[in-house]
Amino acid sequence: MKPSPTQLAALVAPIESELEAMRATIVEQLSDGSGAVSDMTGHVARFRGKQLRGSLVLLVARALGRQNDELPAVAAVVEMIHLATLVHDDILDGAKVRRRVASVNQRWDNQVAVLLGDFLYARAFALSTQLSDRMCSSLLAETTRRLCVGEIEQSTRRYDFDQAPEKVERIAAAKTASLYAAAAELGARYPDGSEEEAQEMARFGHELGLAFQLVDDCLDLVGNEETVGKSIGTDVADGKVTLPVLTVYRKATPEVRARIRDAYTLPELEDRVTHLAAACDLQPGIDATLARAAELADSARARLSTLPESAARQALDDLCGFVLARSF
Ligand code: FPP
Ligand code: MG
């Protein structure tokens, strides 16, 4: 059975009070004297989402028995950067819905969404510079660089069916797994954790995040917009050749390949995913991509085996299952 939002809430129960502190920090950071900005930050606060990345900071710290009063603020910085990237991503994808409400570009317009994403990013970095250790700022600056490079590479490879599957996976890792890796690493490292644990948790976050993105790529093709809570079909509409599609394409006959390319490129097609699904059988690509995601989640789970048994370790283990089985 698919996990529900209630089950996700139960999963983060061990860190509920720190999560509340993280949420309060985000609200405080997003308030602004400008009525227009307050309207917009109020709107994005409505799309709070799963907060998996902030939870990861706090769960990893707890599982390693690490305590620090600044960790909820570190988690808030991670979540605010994530929020900024979503606001910008929805412009790039022309997405209309995010977390069940109108995306910022849809509710206002692209100009406003570019500026609001910048505002959120600026607030995140202002908060990180108030922390007693610079490590959070420097790690997340490097992470944002990698994430932007991933997005740029993805944009330049639109409609490219000749790219290698390994490259597509590396792009997914850069744009998504990098922030998961940073979140888990910060939980283990901030401000003075062991180097070995920090690196192992970064690997855990990387695998978890990549599994998340591969499932996301499948949901973009076969998910239900109501359940997923965001616009789907945007990858095909925007020319993004994701792993499930590339897998099918590489095994297809020349005729089917041509039909797949047509679904992406013929002008004025209304619903490109429906055309794509009519052009080929997407299921083997979905199955192979979900199998790869399961392999990554298993590998992530195995990295938890050296941690002492605790509710937080169990929650991290459950997260590995959650990213695979999620439908939202
Ligand atoms: C989701 O991809 C996209 C990301 C996780 C990263 C987006 C990052 C940027 C646009 C760079 C922005 C940079 C700054 C500094 C704000 P997706 O479209 O596959 O996922 P979705 O289905 O959730 O839209
Ligand atoms: Mg998107």
Side-chain angles (χ1 to χ4, degrees), residues 264-285:
Y264 268 72
T265 55
L266 281 182
E268 288 167 33
L269 287 188
E270 261 301 302
D271 178 358
R272 292 191 185 275
V273 172
T274 304
H275 285 276
L276 180 65
C280 63
D281 179 10
L282 284 169
Q283 199 56 48

Side-chain angles (χ1 to χ4, degrees), residues 118-272:
D118 292 346
F119 171 88
L120 293 169
Y121 187 66
R123 296 305 295 150
F125 266 94
L127 178 59
S128 80
T129 60
Q130 285 165 29
L131 296 168
S132 58
D133 198 289
R134 285 176 53 184
M135 175 221 295
C136 177
S137 298
S138 56
L139 181 64
L140 289 173
E142 168 59 14
T143 303
T144 314
R145 181 194 68 77
R146 290 176 57 192
L147 195 146
C148 289
V149 170
E151 282 290 317
I152 290 168
E153 292 258 342
Q154 179 175 255
S155 275
T156 56
R157 286 163 190 267
R158 286 181 303 153
Y159 304 101
D160 179 0
F161 287 90
D162 296 325
Q163 58 189 315
E166 295 74 24
K167 182 65 198 174
V168 172
E169 195 174 293
R170 277 203 296 280
I171 289 174
K175 76 172 191 174
T176 300
S178 57
L179 193 54
Y180 275 86
E185 180 173 345
L186 282 168
R189 196 188 280 281
Y190 189 85
D192 55 4
S194 99
E195 181 63 33
E196 202 183 324
E197 280 178 345
Q199 287 189 15
E200 186 63 358
M201 286 300 103
R203 286 191 276 269
F204 169 83
H206 172 90
E207 288 165 343
L208 183 72
L210 185 50
F212 178 95
Q213 184 59 48
L214 296 182
V215 172
D216 206 69
D217 292 342
C218 293
L219 288 174
D220 198 73
L221 293 169
V222 294
N224 172 292
E225 193 152 308
E226 277 288 297
T227 324
V228 181
K230 61 186 177 188
S231 297
I232 60 163
T234 60
D235 291 335
V236 187
D238 198 33
K240 288 175 190 152
V241 183
T242 54
L243 200 57
V245 178
L246 189 60
T247 305
V248 172
Y249 182 85
R250 285 166 63 88
K251 292 198 171 143
T253 60
E255 293 73 26
V256 173
R257 284 185 176 194
R259 295 219 301 271
I260 292 174
R261 286 197 306 271
D262 280 353
Y264 268 72
T265 55
L266 281 182
E268 288 167 33
L269 287 188
E270 261 301 302
D271 178 358
R272 292 191 185 275

Side-chain angles (χ1 to χ4, degrees), residues 64-139:
L64 291 170
R66 312 194 63 252
Q67 277 174 346
N68 185 290
D69 289 349
E70 290 184 323
L71 283 167
V74 171
V77 174
V78 170
E79 275 298 323
M80 286 162 64
I81 291 176
H82 174 54
L83 201 51
T85 68
L86 291 185
V87 171
H88 280 183
D89 182 65
D90 284 339
I91 306 169
L92 301 184
D93 292 351
K96 295 183 173 161
V97 182
R98 172 67 67 181
R99 294 169 179 174
R100 293 192 174 72
V101 297
S103 59
V104 177
N105 46 303
Q106 172 72 9
R107 166 76 177 74
W108 286 273
D109 55 34
N110 284 354
Q111 271 193 31
V112 159
V114 168
L115 296 166
L116 186 70
D118 292 346
F119 171 88
L120 293 169
Y121 187 66
R123 296 305 295 150
F125 266 94
L127 178 59
S128 80
T129 60
Q130 285 165 29
L131 296 168
S132 58
D133 198 289
R134 285 176 53 184
M135 175 221 295
C136 177
S137 298
S138 56
L139 181 64

